[in-house]
Amino acid sequence: MKNSAQLYKALSERILILDGAMGTMLQRYKFEEEDYRGERFKDWEHPVKGNNDLLSLTQPHAIEEVHRKYLDAGADILETNTFSGTTIAMADYHMEDLVYELNYESAKIARKVCDEFTAQNPDKPRFVAGSIGPTNRTASLSPDVNDPGYRAITFEDLRLAYKQQSEALLDGGSDILLVETIFDTLNAKAALFAIDEIQEERGIQIPIMVSGTITDASGRTLSGQTAEAFLISVSHLNLLSVGFNCALGANQLTPYLETLAHNSEFHVSAYPNAGLPNAFGQYDESPDQMAAQIKEYVEKGLINIIGGCCGTTPEHIKAIADLVDKYEPRKVKDFV
């Protein structure tokens, strides 16, 4: 991977900034069904509103604009607009056949903007992280309470879907593959297995970020793992980073990041929500409030990569970037 050396160098020098929420920003455009469809899909037989990944094809200017705002705010790493970019998730819209194109084009948009910003300031290279979401199926849990042994998806189904997505993200120019918002570690293991296959087939080392999600105050993932168990489950590969995102605000995430920071030989990432959602599903935490909470992360030396998830905006990312600029990144220990 051509930018890997730059990436590791940057990580050794400073805390890197990941971008914020794509969905939160796209809501501002108030796109309707016809906007999602564009000219190309105007006669599609099924509703497509809400398929944000499709906007990379029908409203690419909006995706590019959001990316630019995050880079202007100080982001080092852009996530591609591909959170639902698997055949499994796209089946909801009957768009499985578009998966390669969606991921490829999304990565190309992010690559183009990153390259422009890097050319303007070569001392601050920008990187593309291919976003690989969890899908809407779980390999560890039954969706039917009356049949606990039933599974809606198999490991092999997941492996094939993740492999297709990963190859397209790499072909489109991603520097990193980010397996994120992991609520079922078995799904993530399928993604990691697929990525490892690609590494072997292409003879390359892919920087891989892994980010789980602690779903509530129990401190466990949806499939029941503690932070420590999650770390052990994904540490069989040589990862760029391991961390947590989504579900919780910055304050609630602190103890789980401490577990990772004290037990992992990898870099540690975090991108929490802007607090917890209110009764209307909105996020109320201001940029300054969020940055004040993240101050604890950097004072304790817990992180190497920091960004924002649901409810975060370029203003949040700027406040976080301004804060962490004064702190050293977490020292990565050699546990071997």
Side-chain angles (χ1 to χ4, degrees):
M1 303 286 288
K2 65 173 186 170
N3 292 331
S4 292
Q6 277 187 311
L7 176 60
Y8 279 94
K9 181 174 183 289
L11 274 167
S12 70
E13 294 169 347
R14 56 198 169 87
I15 297 169
L16 295 191
I17 307 297
L18 192 68
D19 61 6
M22 175 62 77
T24 298
M25 295 298 289
L26 289 175
Q27 284 171 10
R28 296 180 174 183
Y29 289 86
K30 297 186 165 51
F31 287 138
E32 296 297 337
E33 179 73 30
E34 60 269 24
D35 302 307
Y36 277 86
R37 288 174 176 265
E39 186 60 30
R40 178 172 166 187
F41 300 100
K42 69 177 194 299
D43 298 323
W44 198 256
E45 292 174 7
H46 310 277
V48 296
K49 186 180 176 183
N51 185 357
N52 282 351
D53 294 24
L54 183 63
L55 295 173
S56 293
L57 302 184
T58 56
Q59 304 289 341
H61 63 283
I63 305 303
E64 188 174 320
E65 192 170 55
V66 172
H67 284 331
R68 283 182 191 284
K69 285 178 177 171
Y70 280 124
L71 291 182
D72 276 330
D76 298 287
I77 303 170
L78 281 185
E79 291 182 68
T80 56
N81 179 41
T82 54
F83 187 79
S84 301
T86 55
T87 48
I88 297 160
M90 280 295 143
D92 288 355
Y93 303 99
H94 304 272
M95 288 184 156
E96 297 96 321
D97 290 346
L98 290 170
V99 162
Y100 185 91
E101 184 184 1
L102 285 171
N103 286 280
Y104 181 79
E105 292 300 330
S106 294
K108 269 181 67 176
I109 295 168
R111 174 83 273 148
K112 173 191 168 198
V113 184
C114 278
D115 287 349
E116 282 178 24
F117 275 73
T118 300
Q120 290 162 16
N121 185 2
D123 293 335
K124 187 178 166 69
R126 313 299 178 104
F127 305 98
V128 177
S131 167
I132 299 171
T135 83
N136 46 9
R137 306 277 178 91
T138 168
S140 294
L141 304 168
S142 172
D144 183 354
V145 291
N146 298 313
D147 186 359
Y150 173 70
R151 296 292 180 270
I153 195 85
T154 67
F155 186 92
E156 180 64 5
D157 293 335
L158 287 162
R159 179 190 72 82
L160 288 170
Y162 284 131
K163 189 170 185 184
Q164 180 189 27
Q165 180 178 26
S166 299
E167 289 184 319
L169 288 168
L170 292 169
D171 293 348
S174 298
D175 301 300
I176 301 162
L177 291 180
L178 168 54
V179 183
E180 65 169 318
T181 321
I182 298 161
F183 57 80
D184 182 349
T185 309
L186 192 55
N187 284 37
K189 286 174 93 74
L192 294 174
F193 190 90
I195 293 167
D196 201 30
E197 276 190 314
I198 297 168
Q199 290 190 130
E200 200 170 315
E201 289 166 8
R202 298 192 179 193
I204 55 173
Q205 279 291 311
I206 302 166
I208 306 165
M209 294 176 67
V210 168
S211 185
T213 189
I214 300 289
T215 46
D216 57 36
S218 71
R220 292 174 181 266
T221 65
L222 189 66
S223 56
Q225 285 189 313
T226 61
E228 200 158 23
F230 168 72
L231 173 63
I232 292 165
S233 295
V234 298
S235 291
H236 57 290
L237 277 185
N238 181 24
L239 304 175
L240 175 73
S241 68
V242 65
F244 289 115
N245 73 291
C246 204
L248 302 176
N251 266 358
Q252 294 90 346
L253 212 51
T254 307
Y256 315 119
L257 291 175
E258 288 179 319
T259 297
L260 296 184
H262 297 152
N263 294 289
S264 176
E265 67 220 61
F266 308 125
H267 298 95
V268 170
S269 72
Y271 49 116
N273 291 346
L276 297 175
N278 62 26
F280 304 102
Q282 301 298 308
Y283 295 86
D284 298 326
E285 213 164 77
S286 72
D288 289 344
Q289 287 171 321
M290 190 172 178
Q293 292 171 28
I294 283 168
K295 191 173 184 183
E296 185 179 6
Y297 298 177
V298 288
E299 286 179 340
K300 289 182 173 178
L302 301 180
I303 55 166
N304 305 94
I305 301 169
I306 183 75
C309 206
C310 305
T312 58
T313 64
E315 291 75 28
H316 289 82
I317 296 307
K318 184 174 190 323
I320 293 167
D322 289 346
L323 167 79
V324 305
D325 190 46
K326 309 175 187 78
Y327 291 86
E328 291 290 310
R330 167 181 164 270
K331 295 285 177 275
V332 180
K333 301 174 196 162
D334 189 354
F335 283 84
V336 180

